[in-house]
Amino acid sequence: MKTYLIAYAGTLLSFLVVDAVWLGLVARTFYRDQLGDLMSPQPNLVVAAVFYLFFAAAIVILAVLPGLRAGSLMTAIGYGAVLGLAAYGTYDITNLSTLRNWPAMLSVVDMIWGTFLTALGAACGLMAVRWLGDASV
């Protein structure tokens, strides 16, 4: 149980911090320029929290744990990248296909970001277990 909690904490914390820097500093104007009036002036933090809590668990189950079982950081990163592309791609491609004037460039950038961020979160979750816990699963 300790392994799972450490993996979850490492994944969630890294995912939150890096995404906050991306959304709050690096790409803030990009999203605002791309979304225009569709973007809410303030995010709904409760809904955001539900996403982060749920998605961190998915990263642990589908990427970190397979990486730990294989004893491979690259396995965690690879599975994390696939999960990120699938999750962010589902959102972005669905929006691109169903919403009028959804910016294609936004979908491309967001899918690249989601792939990278999820892979990074998986790597951090695995490394947290290696540094702080028992890596046997």
Side-chain angles (χ1 to χ4, degrees), residues 8 15 28 43 45 48 69-70 77-78 112 114 116 123:
Y8 184 77
F15 196 92
R28 181 183 187 121
L45 297 180
R69 286 186 195 105
I77 290 171
I112 292 168
F116 169 78

Side-chain angles (χ1 to χ4, degrees), residues 1-12 56-57 59-61 64-66 68-69 125-126 128-129 133-137:
M1 185 63 147
K2 177 183 171 187
T3 299
Y4 301 111
L5 292 175
I6 291 170
Y8 184 77
T11 299
L12 179 62
I59 296 168
V60 170
I61 293 165
V64 177
L65 294 180
L68 288 170
R69 286 186 195 105
L126 185 139
V129 171
D134 177 14
S136 63
V137 177

Side-chain angles (χ1 to χ4, degrees), residues 17-34:
V17 168
V18 175
D19 206 29
V21 170
W22 171 257
L23 293 172
L25 300 174
V26 176
R28 181 183 187 121
T29 57
F30 171 75
Y31 283 96
R32 187 176 52 230
D33 291 347
Q34 293 291 307

Side-chain angles (χ1 to χ4, degrees), residues 31-42 91 95 99-103 106:
Y31 283 96
R32 187 176 52 230
D33 291 347
Q34 293 291 307
L35 292 171
D37 291 339
L38 287 174
M39 189 166 175
S40 177
Q42 294 296 321
Y91 171 78
N95 285 345
L99 300 178
R100 194 174 312 141
N101 300 322
W102 182 264
L106 175 63

